[in-house]
Amino acid sequence: KQWYQRRVAITAGGVAEMVSEVDATVCTGVWSQDKWKGKFDVKWIYVKDVPNNQLRHIKLENNDNKPVTNSRDTQEVPREKGMQLMRIIHDYKHNTSIFDDFGHYEKRQDEDNAKKEKSTDCDSALIPLLMTIFR
């Protein structure tokens, strides 16, 4: 089999594959800070909580031999270590997932939205565009 690089994210909530390019023209409003823009589509492979202690023994030689659980976003993971991670995540029998927390996060989002001003960076970026279109 030929190995190819996949854009897969291992998160606190599970494993997802990035299935589209980043569309930087879209403003999603999902970030707590408005310094990031854009969106991309993902296909969830696993949605489950796997405790860090199940993965901590996997050390990344390309990250000063730190445990994989100390990795930052966009950390490259060598193929063999990635296969180890996926096997552990696949085999782990979980009792909880991020779905259990949706009520909490929806409540927080509603509270945050109530605090935010009506005008965001995304809205103000649309004004010159709309002015150009309607001239």
Side-chain angles (χ1 to χ4, degrees):
K1 288 183 178 178
Q2 181 178 351
W3 172 252
Y4 64 96
Q5 190 172 11
R6 292 176 66 183
R7 296 172 292 184
V8 174
I10 299 173
T11 71
V15 178
E17 178 179 7
M18 186 175 168
V19 295
S20 74
E21 296 298 320
V22 175
D23 182 350
T25 64
V26 175
C27 181
T28 62
V30 298
W31 303 106
S32 61
Q33 299 175 341
D34 283 332
K35 65 181 182 180
W36 296 290
K37 306 262 186 283
K39 77 165 194 80
F40 56 88
D41 298 324
V42 298
K43 176 180 139 192
W44 283 97
I45 300 168
Y46 295 103
V47 179
K48 57 167 67 175
D49 292 335
V50 179
N52 281 347
N53 65 10
Q54 298 293 311
L55 307 170
R56 193 171 288 129
H57 67 280
I58 300 173
K59 309 276 193 236
L60 299 179
E61 56 276 0
N62 60 335
N63 191 21
D64 298 326
N65 283 316
K66 292 179 183 173
V68 70
T69 53
N70 290 30
S71 298
R72 298 246 183 219
D73 289 348
T74 72
Q75 172 67 52
E76 289 186 21
V77 177
R79 183 179 190 277
E80 293 306 317
K81 303 297 173 107
M83 298 296 285
Q84 259 186 288
L85 281 167
M86 292 300 288
R87 174 59 48 205
I88 292 167
I89 292 168
H90 173 78
D91 291 342
Y92 186 78
K93 305 295 182 214
H94 68 290
N95 296 319
T96 60
S97 78
I98 195 168
F99 295 135
D100 300 325
D101 302 326
F102 273 0
H104 167 77
Y105 289 113
E106 286 175 352
K107 181 181 175 192
R108 273 188 52 191
Q109 183 175 358
D110 290 343
E111 292 167 357
D112 288 347
N113 288 342
K115 292 177 188 176
K116 281 186 177 180
E117 297 176 0
K118 294 288 181 188
S119 178
T120 66
D121 285 346
C122 296
D123 294 336
S124 61
L126 287 175
I127 293 170
L129 176 63
L130 293 173
M131 289 173 63
T132 304
I133 292 172
F134 291 109
R135 282 190 181 163

